[in-house]
Amino acid sequence: MDPKSAPHSRSRRDFLATTSLLAAAVAAPKTASGLTRDALSDADQPASAGTLRKIPIGVFDPALPNLSTDEMIDKFASWGVEAVEIGTGGYPNSTHCPVKDLLDDPAKARAWKKKFEDRNIQVATLSCHGNPVSPDPKIAERDAETFRRTVLLAERLGVSVIVGFSGCPGGGPTETVPNWITYRWPTEYGQMLDWQWKERVIPYWKQAAKFARDHGIHKIALEMHPNFVVYNPKTLLRLREAVGEEIGANCDLSHLFWQQCDAVEVIRMLGKQGAIFHAHMKDTTFYKNNLDRYGVLNFAFEKSDLSGASETFRAVGYGHSAGTWKEIMLAYMEVGYQGIFSVENEDPILSGEVGVERALYVLKNVRNEILGTT
């Protein structure tokens, strides 16, 4: 099947029509219950636009790996980007952040940050996604050290949020590769899952949270991601309850859409608990024919694999409508989310700068409509 002809895919014409006519597309947005907001009781009505925070719109820097730091800043400034999420190692790498140099020399750290500030761009978050509980001790120590150095750099730069993964251990003390367990039967899988949390995951994150707290960092935003023990809101809250309020969410809805989560309900639930520390803005599109045949555990990452895929990542607005993203952004504002909207582009069709620009276009227009600004 050609993904471009799939029922849930979006042509450029449809996309431009949607985003240029946002008012018509979202005139009566619905809540997760199916009621329009006009039908809600007075107590449930959202705050007026005048009381909503203008959440900065930023970009996660791995989307532009071939640009130097100065070139990236120039590009961001030309796009009107207001904030950045910067990789400091692990899976995001540290292309635009010389972590060792900035830790060794406070003057270099100030100069590096000033480059962004001079263009009115906030360095909002540092990201070090990795697997600090890997059963391979070399990987575990490498990624744990990357986390610690990221904490120290955040302390130096005055950055309050660190983003990462929870990690995934093996299924027992002798295993040598990670074992992602989501189903407790047969019983040995339940036993392995209990061992992972008790012996590896909770002890590590208690120690990591204390290290962060000791250095003035109180927001560790874990991305709910497949192949790691924290992969949905329930597992995130389990770790938060066991470790403490330093643990919160990087609420990347692209991973929750395919798990059939209601984005607005997730934001409300986590937001009421003050548990949303960061928000990746990335979409997911579904290819219905393949979804009906193969189910949701059939993800594709490369353009060449899309003909057999059930879903793939897309830039914001290319998987769900501008109306849906209006509901999502409004929900973040209503729960008092204090972070940024960080565009992460992993779109196999609109790669690199193109996908980032398209996402920024949607997000800025939707935010303007919510706030009644231009």
Side-chain angles (χ1 to χ4, degrees):
M1 181 188 69
D2 181 359
K4 294 180 181 178
S5 65
H8 289 265
S9 65
R10 304 286 306 282
S11 71
R12 186 173 188 273
R13 179 179 296 174
D14 290 342
F15 168 73
L16 292 175
T18 299
T19 54
S20 64
L21 296 172
L22 286 171
V26 294
K30 292 184 178 182
T31 65
S33 65
L35 297 174
T36 64
R37 294 191 186 278
D38 290 341
L40 296 174
S41 68
D42 290 342
D44 291 331
Q45 290 289 347
S48 66
T51 65
L52 298 174
R53 172 179 176 256
K54 181 181 178 180
I55 298 174
I57 295 173
V59 178
F60 188 17
D61 75 308
L64 291 88
N66 297 322
L67 297 184
S68 69
T69 301
D70 290 340
E71 290 171 335
M72 181 185 71
I73 292 172
D74 287 342
K75 181 72 68 175
F76 286 171
S78 72
W79 288 342
V81 171
E82 300 156 343
V84 289
E85 174 185 357
I86 296 291
T88 56
Y91 297 117
N93 294 312
S94 57
T95 305
H96 303 112
C97 184
V99 176
K100 184 178 186 302
D101 290 347
L102 303 189
L103 286 176
D104 289 345
D105 189 338
K108 287 184 179 179
R110 290 191 296 269
W112 180 86
K113 186 180 181 185
K114 189 174 184 296
K115 288 184 178 184
F116 293 91
E117 294 175 339
D118 285 348
R119 307 300 290 275
N120 296 314
I121 299 171
Q122 173 194 4
V123 180
T125 55
L126 302 179
S127 290
C128 56
H129 303 67
N131 188 1
V133 294
S134 170
D136 184 326
K138 291 182 179 179
I139 293 174
E141 178 51 34
R142 180 198 66 193
D143 291 351
E145 176 63 14
T146 298
F147 173 82
R148 290 190 292 268
R149 292 174 69 81
T150 301
V151 167
L152 296 177
L153 184 58
E155 180 184 31
R156 170 159 291 175
L157 296 173
V159 172
S160 62
V161 180
I162 290 175
V163 184
F165 290 140
S166 60
C168 185
T174 62
E175 289 197 12
T176 59
V177 295
N179 191 337
W180 186 43
I181 303 166
T182 62
Y183 203 75
R184 295 187 62 86
W185 192 90
T187 55
E188 59 264 32
Y189 289 93
Q191 293 167 357
M192 288 190 289
L193 187 60
D194 291 341
W195 179 89
Q196 288 181 327
W197 280 80
K198 181 181 178 182
E199 300 296 334
R200 293 291 186 266
V201 178
I202 292 174
Y204 169 77
W205 282 109
K206 281 186 173 180
Q207 176 223 10
K210 181 181 184 303
F211 183 85
R213 187 167 58 246
D214 289 345
H215 290 277
I217 307 301
H218 300 280
K219 292 183 177 181
I220 303 170
L222 297 181
E223 187 167 339
M224 296 170 281
H225 194 289
N227 281 328
F228 299 104
V229 292
V230 168
Y231 61 91
N232 63 12
K234 187 172 183 179
T235 49
L236 175 83
L237 292 174
R238 178 182 178 183
L239 187 61
R240 180 178 168 90
E241 182 178 358
V243 171
E245 293 186 354
E246 286 80 15
I247 301 296
N250 167 26
C251 200
D252 186 332
L253 296 172
S254 68
H255 304 302
L256 303 185
F257 285 136
W258 68 264
Q259 294 183 65
Q260 306 300 300
C261 292
D262 182 297
V264 171
E265 285 301 304
V266 169
I267 293 166
R268 287 176 176 165
M269 177 184 68
L270 295 178
K272 286 179 180 178
Q273 301 180 60
I276 303 177
F277 296 160
H278 190 57
H280 274 173
M281 306 306 272
K282 187 168 85 225
D283 214 336
T284 300
T285 195
F286 295 87
Y287 301 124
K288 189 176 186 305
N289 289 348
N290 290 334
L291 184 66
D292 290 345
R293 295 169 182 156
Y294 309 131
V296 298
L297 298 178
N298 180 41
F299 215 94
F301 300 91
E302 303 296 332
K303 190 175 181 179
S304 59
D305 296 330
L306 293 181
S307 62
S310 297
E311 64 271 320
T312 192
F313 294 134
R314 296 305 312 271
V316 170
Y318 284 79
H320 294 77
S321 70
T324 297
W325 282 99
K326 180 180 180 181
E327 285 247 350
I328 289 167
M329 294 175 76
L330 183 59
Y332 277 118
M333 294 178 184
E334 289 175 349
V335 300
Y337 167 59
Q338 294 299 305
I340 69 168
F341 291 139
S342 183
V343 172
E344 181 186 30
N345 188 43
E346 296 179 333
D347 189 321
I349 301 171
L350 301 173
S351 59
E353 295 182 17
V354 176
V356 174
E357 284 191 276
R358 300 287 178 86
L360 290 171
Y361 177 80
V362 176
L363 294 172
K364 288 179 180 179
N365 278 281
V366 170
R367 186 182 66 180
N368 287 345
E369 185 181 335
I370 293 171
L371 299 177
T373 58
T374 57

